[in-house]
Amino acid sequence: MTASSADAPGDLPLSGKRVVLGVTGGIAAYKSILVCRQLVDLGVHVIPILTDAALNMVGSTTFTALASERPKTSLWTDPDPIPHTTMGQTCDAIVVVPATARIISDYRTGRSGDLLSATLIATEAPVIVCPAMHTEMWNQASVQDNINTLQSRGTIIVPPEEGRLAGGDLGAGRLADPDTVVAAVVDALGGTGAVGGGDLAGRSVVVSAGGTREAIDPVRFIGNRSTGKQGYALAAEAKRRGASVTLVTTVDRPAAAGIERIDVTTAADMEAAMHTAAASADIVVMTAAVADFRPADVATDKIKKADGIPSIELVPTNDILAGLGAKKPAGQLLVGFAAETTNVVESAKGKLERKNADFIVANDVSAPGVGFAHDTNAVTIVGPQGLTKAVPLGTKEEIATAVFDLVVDSLPPS
Ligand code: CTP
């Protein structure tokens, strides 16, 4: 028995939509079952395609019970002689979850090696690719090249997260949360991107991420250790809650599906991009680690050792958060971060007032597992009317959820 969408009530949000769910042979294949279930619950007619390798990870019986049709596993065993073109032409979207390096490569090069790759090549519908693999594989230049090419052709990439991988390793490559995958599919089908509406539906959120780089000469710069992880997690969380999201970033990494990404390098670039994006935003979050100083002059040629030890004059950059605070439109909520090593709460309260922010998310960067480059964070959020809330050590995604839980409560009605 299958959970046919013909049985589903017609008033579900995505009734009538047909989605091919491609499952490939990664350990994360078990999470595709949750994606299947959530899509069916939204009214989607889900057609699973399982590769041979996927069948080593999950059983077809599970999909037979949960999806809208029996899973398809081969080009040659279907009653339809051309199942790939039939599915490719009649579906509203294809989501590949998890997507291994193999299927990403086949799709990029147009290689029709099995039913799933043939169907991907045979469709004009939106394709959502959700990679999952070990960090070394994900960071491999060939894989990144394939991802960037697919993205430039319009494929929606739901980037993997940082976290625990098969075999107990930690790093980038863990499949995105099933909620995030479903939100990307909903978005591709013309929905809000948030499952069940979302408490930021209809709102616009701007987030900055990463560390700025201030050039000394054509090859050197002043930078910092920020990796942008917390900013990316905040942008993804705002998207998951239904907001339209702009991410102003110094980090060369794809953002979650449906997020507008603006690439910047210096504090001055970021300042200009933030002021433009923030003018009409409901919530602005300055997560970026902005350089406080930059070289007064940038050498046009590389500074040579033979010329002796250079002396580099530094001048202050503008404080972007304070500038946004000074120009804050009525009703906008401005959120800043603070990296502290002493007097965390007092210093954060001082920054809240000085920069006219509504919330400051303070982290004690001297504590273990907290701040730059870690996958985890622990923060104290200070806010209006003396609000102080400690959020214990958790993933950066959990911190992002805690931040928006508080901020959303202070939003004026739209
Ligand atoms: N910030 C900014 N522009 C700068 C420096 C910081 O917008 N030129 C923002 C950061 O994005 C963060 C907040 O200000 O949201 C606090 O940054 P932090 O480095 O903790 O504080 P500073 O104001 O730089 O003060 P200090 O380094 O002296 O603690």
Side-chain angles (χ1 to χ4, degrees):
M1 202 191 98
T2 57
S4 165
S5 61
D7 302 330
D11 56 357
L12 288 171
L14 295 173
S15 295
K17 298 289 186 189
R18 295 170 67 84
V19 170
V20 171
L21 171 67
V23 185
T24 65
I27 288 290
Y30 73 95
K31 295 187 187 169
S32 65
I33 295 166
L34 300 174
V35 171
C36 176
R37 179 62 195 252
Q38 285 193 41
L39 290 174
V40 168
D41 286 349
L42 289 167
V44 174
H45 183 96
V46 178
I47 309 154
I49 300 180
L50 274 64
T51 63
D52 288 347
L55 288 167
N56 288 314
M57 302 290 175
V58 284
S60 65
T61 313
T62 314
F63 288 93
T64 304
L66 294 176
S68 316
E69 293 188 11
R70 284 182 183 283
K72 297 177 188 294
T73 53
S74 165
L75 266 165
W76 314 114
T77 53
D78 205 80
D80 180 350
I82 45 167
H84 55 305
T85 46
T86 305
M87 284 187 288
Q89 286 165 357
T90 57
C91 71
D92 296 293
I94 300 181
V95 56
V96 185
V97 53
T100 54
R102 195 276 299 171
I103 195 76
I104 291 167
S105 171
D106 279 1
Y107 183 35
R108 185 245 163 116
T109 53
R111 180 175 177 275
S112 167
D114 58 12
L115 179 59
L116 179 56
S117 51
T119 309
L120 284 166
I121 297 164
T123 197
E124 289 179 358
V127 172
I128 302 124
V129 167
C130 313
M133 61 197 78
H134 252 71
T135 310
E136 296 80 358
M137 297 172 75
W138 173 243
N139 288 338
Q140 187 61 238
S142 53
V143 173
Q144 286 299 311
D145 193 36
N146 287 341
I147 288 288
N148 289 335
T149 301
L150 287 175
Q151 199 165 30
S152 69
R153 293 175 187 161
T155 302
I156 299 157
I157 307 293
V158 180
E161 296 172 355
E162 310 263 340
R164 199 147 56 87
L165 305 168
D169 292 342
L170 276 176
R174 188 178 65 177
L175 182 71
D177 190 86
D179 285 354
T180 308
V181 174
V182 171
V185 178
V186 174
D187 208 26
L189 293 173
T192 63
V195 179
D199 54 13
L200 286 176
R203 305 287 193 159
S204 91
V205 174
V206 180
V207 179
S208 68
T212 59
R213 291 178 171 197
E214 310 300 327
I216 296 170
D217 69 10
V219 296
R220 303 182 179 92
F221 59 83
I222 298 174
N224 59 65
R225 294 184 194 280
S226 171
T227 57
K229 287 178 188 168
Q230 186 64 75
Y232 273 66
L234 282 153
E237 174 66 11
K239 184 71 200 163
R240 202 179 65 76
R241 290 171 178 245
S244 74
V245 182
T246 303
L247 179 65
V248 177
T249 177
T250 64
V251 184
D252 185 18
R253 182 147 68 83
I259 292 176
E260 186 198 3
R261 178 177 135 191
I262 299 174
D263 292 311
V264 294
T265 304
T266 64
D269 294 342
M270 181 170 278
E271 182 179 24
M274 285 302 289
H275 275 281
T276 306
S280 56
D282 296 292
I283 301 172
V284 179
V285 190
M286 271 302 299
T287 324
V290 185
D292 290 324
F293 306 99
R294 65 174 174 81
D297 297 303
V298 181
T300 38
D301 295 316
K302 186 183 168 198
I303 299 170
K304 303 296 278 182
K305 254 193 320 237
D307 296 335
I309 299 173
S311 109
I312 299 166
E313 190 196 342
L314 298 178
V315 292
T317 58
N318 292 335
D319 189 311
I320 304 173
L321 181 63
L324 293 167
K327 285 195 180 163
K328 191 168 58 174
Q332 183 180 84
L333 294 177
L334 182 60
V335 184
F337 270 68
E340 307 290 352
T341 49
T342 50
N343 293 332
V344 176
V345 172
E346 284 320 303
S347 306
K349 284 184 173 164
K351 283 177 189 171
L352 184 86
E353 208 151 294
R354 275 199 312 282
K355 304 192 186 197
N356 195 28
D358 299 284
F359 295 89
I360 292 282
V361 182
N363 40 30
D364 177 353
V365 285
S366 63
V370 172
F372 290 158
H374 292 292
D375 292 325
T376 50
N377 210 351
V379 300
T380 302
I381 306 172
V382 300
Q385 281 110 43
L387 175 138
T388 305
K389 184 175 166 58
V391 185
L393 194 69
T395 63
K396 290 191 169 173
E397 287 75 26
E398 286 164 348
I399 301 294
T401 304
V403 169
F404 278 111
D405 280 349
L406 270 188
V407 172
V408 162
D409 280 348
S410 292
L411 266 178
S414 51

